[in-house]
Amino acid sequence: MKNSQLKNPNPKINLKDIVEGKAMREHNTFEVNGTIYWADRISKDQLATHADCLICGKEFEKDYTYQRHCTSCELKIDSENFNKLELIEWDGKTPLCIWDSDTFFFSEDDIIM
Ligand SMILES: [Zn+2]
């Protein structure tokens, strides 16, 4: 068997290319490139490997199931959310963390090290 005859186990599927339909006994289905998927077994978001960004419209490869924005737009949204935070004086007691991470600092010594 030639390589060209092998099916790609992870073909690119854009969310917009998934066609909703009905099959036996009115089961909801999705159809992609001639293959029918049962909607009660898999969602469109699980099936799609790619989607079009809701902000800029560019197609991107999804990093997680319900991703709706490309990495560039997600970084922009994240940066805007960070800049909306109020700057306040630290009381020296409240634990601190690095934005969007699970790295915490419980004392001044933790920060200085
Ligand atoms: Zn985008």
Side-chain angles (χ1 to χ4, degrees), residues 1 8 10-11 17 23 25 34 37 40-41 45 57 63 66 78 80-81 96-97 103 111:
M1 180 180 282
N8 181 352
N10 299 307
D17 297 330
R25 296 186 181 177
Y37 298 88
D40 59 350
R41 300 278 172 98
D45 287 302
D63 293 324
Y66 297 103
D78 191 52
E80 288 170 358
N81 287 336
L96 304 173
C97 71
T103 303
I111 298 169

Side-chain angles (χ1 to χ4, degrees), residues 53-113:
C53 177
L54 292 179
I55 295 176
C56 70
K58 289 181 186 172
E59 183 182 63
F60 65 95
E61 185 171 358
K62 297 188 330 173
D63 293 324
Y64 54 92
T65 305
Y66 297 103
Q67 188 174 4
R68 292 289 182 260
H69 306 113
C70 68
T71 304
S72 175
C73 289
E74 281 192 343
L75 287 172
K76 187 177 173 188
I77 292 167
D78 191 52
S79 177
E80 288 170 358
N81 287 336
F82 179 81
N83 289 327
K84 286 179 192 171
L85 293 174
E86 181 185 355
L87 185 63
I88 59 171
E89 186 86 21
W90 184 44
D91 62 8
K93 295 177 184 174
T94 306
L96 304 173
C97 71
I98 294 176
W99 176 254
D100 200 25
S101 82
D102 57 358
T103 303
F104 286 85
F105 305 97
F106 296 94
S107 73
E108 194 173 331
D109 292 339
D110 288 347
I111 298 169
I112 294 170
M113 289 178 61

Side-chain angles (χ1 to χ4, degrees), residues 31-44:
E31 187 268 326
V32 181
N33 301 329
T35 303
I36 305 289
Y37 298 88
W38 296 93
D40 59 350
R41 300 278 172 98
I42 191 167
S43 72
K44 286 170 64 173

